[in-house]
Every structure is written in structure tokens, then in C-alpha cells.
Amino acid sequence: MSHYEEVKVHGYDEFCKAVSERKGNDIFAYFSGDIDTQGLSWCPDCVKAEPIVRGEMSHLPEGSVFFYCQVGERPYWKDPNNEFKKTLKLSGVPTLIRYGTPQKLVEEECFKADLVRMMFTED
Amino acid sequence: MAALCRVRHRWKRTNCIQLLTRNLTGTFDYDLVVIGGGSGGLACSKEAAQLGQKVAVLDYVEPSVKGTKWGIGGTCVNVGCIPKKLMHQAALLGTALKDAQKYGWQIPGPISHDWSTMAEAVQNHVRSLNWGHRVQLQDKEVKYLNVKGSLLDEHTVKGSTRTGKEIMLTAKNIVIATGGRPKYPTHIPGAVEHGITSDDIFWLKESPGKTLVVGASYVALECAGFLTGIGLETTVMVRSIPLRGFDQQMAGLVTDYMEAYGTKFSWRSVPKSVDKLSSGVLQVTWTDEQTGKDQRDTFDSVLWAVGRAPETKTLGLEKVGVKLNKESGKILVAADESTSVPNIYAFGDIGEGRPELTPTAIKAGKLLARRLAGQTNELMNYDNVATTVFTPLEYGCVGLSEEEAESRHGKDSIEVYHAFYKPLEFTVAERDASQCYIKVVCKRGGDQRILGLHFTGPNAGEVTQGFAMGFQCGATLTHLKETVGIHPTCAEELTKVNVSKRSGLDATVTGC
């Protein structure tokens, strides 16, 4: 029984809806390129970062929510006007954010376990 | 003897045992411990780590009287330069919106400003900078500890957490970069209970409303400037002169502009007391020094900007023998930032005689780190540092004030060239440019070496930066005159300056 809740969402609308349902919680979100049937993403950095991020999840604060959000297929992501880029201001995948704060780790920063742990444990 | 060595990890130990263990092991926990995670401390610790040193940085923010606190980054990031410039920008945009209509923009209805929107945006940016520093420290392998540091001896630092837990670190070298905090005029009844300082203004969730700013430093004028600019009724209470230490003619132009643009000034006034009325507003009583009579008015907020005090009280400096300047309370430092104790250094706002500026702290910190790592012997050059006051009419300068040049060289040995100019953008906007002015103070005769350069006008910081490089290279008036201006700009007026004060001729620039 983990001390946090993991929520898997796909796409911008689903992400926003799920977040709005959990206002008041400490929310973390990991954005990744879509996963195929083999469980691999088209985004090689996302494939590399995921086990590292998952490895630090035991450090998530009590009662927090962890969103695993698949952003879409490669062409959707490459479009500079996609909602994640335009509204959430994401610049790349993978991105790990603490929702509602300026705390974020982008691309290679997600490869560093100590940075991930720092985000999960920071006040 | 062996038994004493094993006692190494007991945190309560006598000096004798410490000395013994250090001699026997010869190693410290860290090569460098930096106390203070501001502009200077962070630059120094990151540079040292990059050079292969084992570094720890201790940062702790004692909450302000009102309870305001903030993350890593020091004064500049949290309660200084950054939020100040952003709020100054907010105010300038308000003025620009008014000008916009003359340029053809159709703006329906009256324009109003919402403090909360601005404050949240500014605070979010500051938080992103706090985070950026945290990531950088982690990345560069600098150990960051959110503890209040103090010296136990010349190689031992004690860190106290918010909850009272204590940790010990030993270091080969210790750097103190704890900066300063705003002073409260504690002798004025009600000042501490009811007033706020620059530590609080940028973190207010709601508008400060009708504000009294007490003080005439750049902190006071910059704050009063942006408060006026966003539409708040603001008064500045000045005891004697504005911008002490700066060229006084330029200071006068800055305050003249502020008065013309709506900031009230209460000159030669000394606050006596602050009371909170039942309605919640603050009633301030002050003495008008010219008439000797007492005056009274009410404000929503009172902002004290009456100076800054160095953060040295809780460092344990006396015990360790680090000498302070008795008057200022700042740490006495040599040209290489060393203190009276051999392996303890201090720099930034905490150093006696040092400019209270971020860029000098950063540069000094990096050089210090390089010297401690044996990479260089280069000392920080504190001369020719350019600065800008971000009042509604900005004032940029590098070098000596006219008064300072006169005092050092004698009035007869200097030549002061000046010009009143009008920014092109002010014409269509029908704005008064009476205080837009340039002054170049030179040595008289010979190549007329430039001793000081002063500029009031829009984007003064951007204008002055380039000229500061020329100044650093020993620019003369001839160099300035040989420089072709970029047209149309305000900066080009510096290259065209040719009327001297001595000639008595009209210094107003006319046409192209």
C-alpha cells in the first residue's frame, strides 16, 4: 500500500480533468511520449528516464498524487502549437513537474536520481 | 592517546581534542564551507566545486518581523534586484499604456492595476530562480544545508536547523557571505509593530495601499517609484538629502521627476511615532524640521527604508577573533577578502567598504574560489563599477560624482560637460523631459580623461553598461567625441556632449 496515488492519463484534456479533480493535493506529473504495445516510448530519453524516476517514487510525500501522462505520438509532440507546449509551457519530454510550482526537471535532468529525489523531498 | 581519537564523533568536544584529531588525521569535512547562499555565496561555492573542491553552502533566512521568509538565492533574488526590477517594469508599463493612446492605441475605459496579479507573477519567477539554484548546486555537487551557520572556531562551523537540531562541519577555509537585512528604527514607537521593510513589500499578497516610505536611499526611492507607478498614493519621507553618496545634482533630478509624476515628498521630516487606529489604518506623526511643528497623516502601510545592517550578530565572530568595523558592524577585510583570522574570508555586502551590489559579490566570490583553489592570484577590482538606480526616471552612472571629482582633483582641474536632452519617444507622448540629463566629468586639459559619467533617462542601465567598458579602458573625452552615435537614441547624446558647465552656455540639446 503506497503512500501516494499514481494516476495514468493520456492527452492534454484527460490530464487537465484529472488534475482539477485533485485540487489541494501535492501533485507531481511526469510527461512522456506515448508508449507502444511493447511498453516502449518513441522518445528515447523518456525510456531512459522512466526507471530512474520510478526508482525515486518511494520518496514522494505522504498523500501526494503522481500523474503519469502520455502526451501523444511523435508528430503531435513535434507540433509547436500542441496544448502541452502552449498552455503548460512544456519544452521537452520527458518533463517532471511539481504542479503549481516552478519546480521542474527537463530531459537530461530527469536522468539524475538525486535531482528527482530533491524534487520529491523539497519543502 | 588512541582513546581520545575515538572520541572524534562526540559533538560536545573540547578544543584540545579537536586540535589533536585534526593534527592526527589532517583532514577536514570540507575544503570550503560558505555561510550565506546569496549572490556572493552561491557564486563562490559553485566556482569552488567546479575547481574540484569539496564545498558546502549554508543558507538560512531568519523570517522578517512580519514573518516573511524565502528560499535560496539571497537578497538579490528574493527581496532585492529581481522583484524590484520586475515591479519597476510593471510601473513603467503603466506609463507606457498612458503614452500608447497618443501613438494611436485605442484603449477602452480607464486602466487599473491589480497588485495580486503582479505579485503572484513576480513571486513565481523568484521561486523558479530558487529552484534553479537548487538544481545547479545539486548538479555541481555543492552540499546545500538549510541551516543557520555560526563559527565555533577557525575551522568549525555549527549549523542550526529551524527545529533546533545542530550539526557540525569542519573546513579548511570558511567564507562568510551573509549579507545584510533592512534596519528598523527601533527608537520610534510603533515602528516595529506596524511597519514593513523591503523584506516584506515584494511578498505581500495584497496591495499595500496608501504607503509612506521613510528614507531616501535608492531602496526608498525605487520602492516609492513603482508604488506610485502602479497607481498607489505614495509619500517619501526624507530626513535630509536623497541618495546619499550619489552625485547630488543627479539625485535632485531623480526626485524632481518623481514629484512631477505624482510621488509626494515630505522633506526635512523625521517620524516620531506610528499608531494603529481602530479602522486598521496607520497614523504617523512626524516632525517637520523646518517649522519644528508636528504633522500627522494616515497610511495603509509604512515602509522603512532607513538603511541595512550586516548579518553578523549570530555568527560567533567575536569568539573566533574576526574583527569588525565598530561603526558599521561589517567585517574588516583585506584586498583578498581575508579577515583578521587566517583561513576565514568575508565578502559581499558583509565586507567593510565593499559596494552592496550583486555583480561585485559574484565576481569577488568567483575570484576568491579560484585563489583558494590555487588557480590564480588575481584580486577583485572594485573600481569603476557602474550602477543604476531604477527609479521612474532611471539614473545610471560610472566613476566619480561631480562633488567627489572636485574634492579629489580641485574644481579648477576638472571640466564638466553636460546636456539636457529629450528622448524621441517622449515627443509624441507629450511627456515632460526636463530631468533627462547627461553629465561627463573630465580631468581638465590634456586628453581630458573621463572621471565620471552620469545619465538620467529611459533604460539608463542599458545605456550605462556599454560606456562602463569605455570607462574601464581609461576613456577620455576625445574617445567619446570620436565615437559616432547611434541614431536615434538617448545614448548617442553622450557622444555629442560639448557644452561645459564652466562656459555657462545653455546645455539644452536642440534638434538633429
Side-chain angles (χ1 to χ4, degrees), chain B residues 80-89 202 218 222 226 390:
Chain B
C81 326
I82 303 294
K84 174 271 294 282
K85 187 89 189 287
L86 290 171
M87 292 197 177
H88 169 63
Q89 176 65 2
F202 305 109
Y218 65 79
E222 286 175 343
F226 71 70
F390 293 100

Side-chain angles (χ1 to χ4, degrees), chain A residues 105 109 112 114-115 118 122, chain B residues 30 32 34 36-50 53-60 71-74 128-146:
Chain A
L105 296 173
E109 289 175 343
K112 300 185 176 149
D114 52 357
L115 288 181
M118 184 174 81
E122 268 296 270
Chain B
Y30 293 93
L32 183 67
V34 179
S39 304
L42 290 177
C44 185
S45 52
K46 287 177 193 173
E47 183 78 7
Q50 256 172 289
Q53 306 254 298
K54 190 167 177 215
V55 191
V57 68
L58 277 49
D59 187 66
Y60 187 87
I72 194 166
S128 75
L129 294 177
N130 298 141
W131 176 251
H133 278 304
R134 296 285 284 109
V135 170
Q136 270 207 319
L137 288 175
Q138 190 82 8
D139 225 31
K140 294 189 195 300
E141 293 176 34
V142 174
K143 179 89 183 156
Y144 159 64
L145 294 156
N146 185 211

Side-chain angles (χ1 to χ4, degrees), chain B residues 63-116:
Chain B
S64 75
V65 167
K66 280 280 176 286
T68 313
K69 52 187 207 274
W70 48 88
I72 194 166
T75 298
C76 176
V77 163
N78 296 286
V79 286
C81 326
I82 303 294
K84 174 271 294 282
K85 187 89 189 287
L86 290 171
M87 292 197 177
H88 169 63
Q89 176 65 2
L92 289 178
L93 287 170
T95 312
L97 277 172
K98 292 192 190 104
D99 290 351
Q101 295 180 280
K102 300 251 169 57
Y103 277 90
W105 287 98
Q106 310 289 293
I107 298 172
I111 304 160
S112 66
H113 181 266
D114 176 58
W115 174 274
S116 309

Side-chain angles (χ1 to χ4, degrees), chain B residues 179-414:
Chain B
R181 294 294 289 265
K183 279 190 208 167
Y184 265 94
T186 48
H187 60 284
I188 297 175
V192 177
E193 301 95 295
H194 306 307
I196 59 171
T197 68
S198 57
D199 278 356
D200 310 295
I201 187 92
F202 305 109
W203 293 91
L204 294 178
K205 291 276 187 290
E206 273 154 29
S207 172
K210 179 180 171 191
T211 306
L212 173 68
V213 177
V214 182
S217 56
Y218 65 79
V219 174
L221 298 184
E222 286 175 343
C223 287
F226 71 70
L227 290 172
T228 305
I230 60 173
L232 300 176
E233 199 184 328
T234 312
T235 305
V236 178
M237 186 165 285
V238 180
R239 185 184 55 192
S240 59
I241 58 168
L243 297 176
R244 184 178 299 276
F246 286 85
D247 185 292
Q248 283 300 290
Q249 179 195 15
M250 305 307 290
L253 292 170
V254 165
T255 54
D256 284 347
Y257 183 96
M258 287 175 72
E259 275 186 291
Y261 274 75
T263 306
K264 298 201 185 88
F265 275 80
S266 185
W267 297 103
R268 317 278 262 99
S269 303
V270 178
K272 261 178 92 169
S273 65
V274 182
D275 298 291
K276 192 161 193 169
L277 302 181
S278 52
S279 59
V281 301
L282 302 174
Q283 183 176 81
V284 180
T285 309
W286 71 90
T287 309
D288 177 336
E289 305 261 274
Q290 269 173 318
T291 61
K293 290 206 174 73
D294 276 2
Q295 309 258 32
R296 193 168 281 173
D297 196 359
T298 54
F299 302 91
D300 296 316
S301 305
V302 174
L303 175 70
W304 303 107
V306 294
R308 293 177 67 81
E311 275 284 272
T312 51
K313 283 171 231 74
T314 54
L315 282 170
L317 297 177
E318 225 182 73
K319 203 175 72 165
V320 177
V322 174
K323 294 205 171 75
L324 308 176
N325 173 296
K326 282 189 178 57
E327 251 183 66
S328 67
K330 293 188 180 185
I331 300 178
L332 291 169
V333 289
D336 63 345
E337 334 299 351
S338 60
T339 65
S340 50
V341 178
N343 67 301
I344 301 181
Y345 300 81
F347 74 98
D349 287 9
I350 202 85
E352 175 59 38
R354 299 295 187 224
E356 290 182 2
L357 298 168
T358 280
T360 50
I362 291 176
K363 190 140 195 267
K366 285 187 177 159
L367 287 173
L368 176 62
R370 283 183 217 152
R371 290 196 303 272
L372 292 177
Q375 300 267 330
T376 185
N377 285 323
E378 193 189 337
L379 297 177
M380 174 66 192
N381 176 10
Y382 288 99
D383 294 329
N384 311 332
V385 175
T387 58
T388 294
V389 181
F390 293 100
T391 33
L393 181 71
E394 296 177 6
Y395 164 40
C397 61
V398 60
L400 305 177
S401 63
E402 190 176 339
E403 304 92 292
E404 185 66 40
E406 258 182 42
S407 140
R408 281 199 208 184
H409 301 273
K411 197 165 180 159
D412 285 335
S413 298
I414 63 168

Side-chain angles (χ1 to χ4, degrees), chain B residues 21-40:
Chain B
T21 54
R22 207 169 302 121
N23 286 338
L24 286 170
T25 62
T27 55
F28 300 100
D29 296 329
Y30 293 93
D31 294 313
L32 183 67
V33 165
V34 179
I35 309 178
S39 304

Side-chain angles (χ1 to χ4, degrees), chain A:
Chain A
M1 193 51 214
S2 57
H3 55 280
Y4 61 85
E5 182 197 356
E6 178 167 351
V7 180
K8 288 185 157 73
V9 290
H10 191 187
Y12 184 76
D13 292 332
E14 215 180 285
F15 172 74
C16 287
K17 182 164 180 288
V19 164
S20 63
E21 286 165 1
R22 285 168 182 78
K23 282 246 155 73
N25 283 93
D26 205 352
I27 296 173
F28 296 87
Y30 178 73
F31 298 93
S32 166
D34 275 16
I35 310 281
D36 62 20
T37 45
Q38 263 90 54
L40 275 181
S41 172
W42 53 260
C43 157
D45 284 350
C46 302
V47 172
K48 184 170 174 187
E50 192 170 324
I52 297 165
V53 172
R54 289 207 171 274
E56 298 299 323
M57 278 165 74
S58 57
H59 295 283
L60 281 167
E62 184 78 38
S64 59
V65 180
F66 181 88
F67 278 94
Y68 182 88
C69 178
Q70 292 181 61
V71 301
E73 294 297 344
R74 185 188 230 120
Y76 166 79
W77 181 253
K78 287 300 180 196
D79 174 14
N81 287 322
N82 76 56
E83 287 129 322
F84 287 104
K85 288 185 178 172
K86 244 179 39 186
T87 319
L88 273 181
K89 307 276 189 282
L90 296 192
S91 56
V93 277
T95 293
L96 180 65
I97 66 168
R98 190 175 199 154
Y99 193 78
T101 78
Q103 290 180 25
K104 71 173 171 198
L105 296 173
V106 181
E107 295 161 8
E108 314 86 60
E109 289 175 343
C110 298
F111 300 163
K112 300 185 176 149
D114 52 357
L115 288 181
V116 176
R117 188 178 319 160
M118 184 174 81
M119 180 188 281
F120 291 166
T121 54
E122 268 296 270
D123 234 341

